[in-house]
Amino acid sequence: MSRPEVVVHGTGELLAAAAAARLITRIVDAQAAHGVASVVLTGGRTGIGVLEQVNRSPARDAVDWANVDVYWGDERFLPDGDPDRNETQARHALLDHVPVDPERVHAMAPSDGKFGPDADAAAAHYAEVLATTASRATDIAVPHFDVLLLGVGEEGHTASLFPDTPYVREAQRTVVGVHDCPKPPPTRISLTLPAIRAASEVWLMTTGEAKAEPVAAALGGAKPVDIPAAGARGRDRTLWLLDPTAASAIPTGG
Ligand SMILES: O=C1O[C@H](COP(=O)(O)O)[C@@H](O)[C@H](O)[C@H]1O
């Protein structure tokens, strides 16, 4: 697993613009290398802001959007089209504006979909979706992910893995139904840490003073069970993209 690298941008707006440029380049490079790029999206203010910036970028059209596989790292288990769903927000921010192939957009099921209110069944189905195109490069049944985007919550959650829960401890399954979340909505679906760690690159993106403590704890070696973001690492690269307030409690190296 890679060691975390930290990049601090001057403002949240700059972070979103710079991360968008980085994401476009990552997708274009992956397509040059193997035809299809595979991206795992996140919800949250920063993650959605990055997608908005991708949409606004003149370089957006350098991407062959029909050959991008889109997945989600987590989902708020709500009805289809609910404005709080990560999928809905990502579609409004970017996916509705670019010619993605609907067959390559792999959303997690809504709470009024074919699994009804059974988040565990919806999670098991998503695990099957991931397993059908699993990469042989890892021993875990998920596709090759070129880049997996994550946010960080005030208590250190990432994707929908919250501290001191069975879900952050999950070692076998790739996707779990998450219940009794401290942040609304209470029911979610999430990739697990083993699935996240199968990605080539993991980018954790966050802004604001409320994130300073969990960011410092994660980078200071906290246990993933206490600060789930600490356990999110990419095989080739782990990148923390921060604004100065989110970075403000990181101890300066001596
Ligand atoms: O609920 C969620 O929150 C986190 C962090 O969001 P933020 O708005 O504090 O940046 C996000 O990473 C996750 O995908 C989402 O479901």
Side-chain angles (χ1 to χ4, degrees):
M1 268 194 306
S2 56
R3 289 167 62 86
E5 300 166 54
V6 179
V7 178
V8 182
H9 292 288
T11 64
E13 291 72 31
L14 273 176
L15 186 163
R22 203 184 268 282
L23 181 59
I24 290 170
T25 302
R26 179 75 182 128
I27 294 171
V28 169
D29 285 353
Q31 289 180 329
H34 42 257
V36 177
S38 178
V39 178
V40 184
L41 302 182
T42 177
R45 279 159 296 172
T46 309
I48 297 300
V50 170
L51 299 186
E52 286 168 353
Q53 289 297 326
V54 170
N55 187 41
R56 283 191 201 135
S57 168
R60 178 192 78 170
D61 298 331
V63 170
D64 173 8
W65 289 102
N67 282 303
V68 180
D69 279 321
V70 179
Y71 299 91
W72 272 265
D74 76 309
E75 188 52 274
R76 300 161 178 175
F77 198 54
L78 294 166
D80 191 29
D82 189 290
D84 284 336
R85 268 179 67 81
N86 292 337
E87 177 199 357
T88 311
Q89 294 183 8
R91 287 191 185 277
H92 289 166
L94 176 65
L95 302 176
D96 287 348
H97 310 287
V98 290
V100 283
D101 176 351
E103 298 285 311
R104 290 191 180 276
V105 177
H106 306 284
M108 291 172 170
S111 61
D112 59 352
K114 70 174 174 180
F115 306 102
D118 188 345
D120 295 329
H125 173 73
Y126 206 70
E128 281 167 25
V129 169
L130 299 183
T132 53
T133 48
S135 159
R136 285 192 218 121
T138 60
D139 55 8
I140 179 152
V142 297
H144 170 85
F145 296 137
D146 290 301
V147 58
L148 187 149
L149 307 178
L150 291 170
V152 180
E154 294 178 16
E155 70 304 78
H157 85 262
T158 198
S160 282
L161 302 174
F162 290 83
D164 198 18
T165 58
Y167 315 110
V168 72
R169 294 186 174 89
E170 177 64 45
Q172 302 299 327
R173 291 176 293 171
T174 56
V175 189
V176 285
V178 181
H179 304 274
D180 302 320
C181 296
K183 176 182 176 182
T187 309
R188 293 156 172 260
I189 298 173
S190 186
L191 299 196
T192 59
L193 286 178
I196 289 169
R197 290 182 189 133
S200 168
E201 299 200 7
V202 169
W203 302 355
L204 297 113
M205 310 179 296
T206 198
T207 59
E209 206 172 337
K211 310 297 176 70
E213 278 193 23
V215 166
L219 289 165
K223 290 185 195 145
V225 69
D226 298 324
I227 301 287
R233 300 272 184 105
R235 285 186 294 125
D236 303 314
R237 193 171 200 198
T238 305
L239 201 49
W240 284 75
L241 303 175
L242 306 171
D243 76 344
T245 53
S248 61
I250 300 173
T252 45

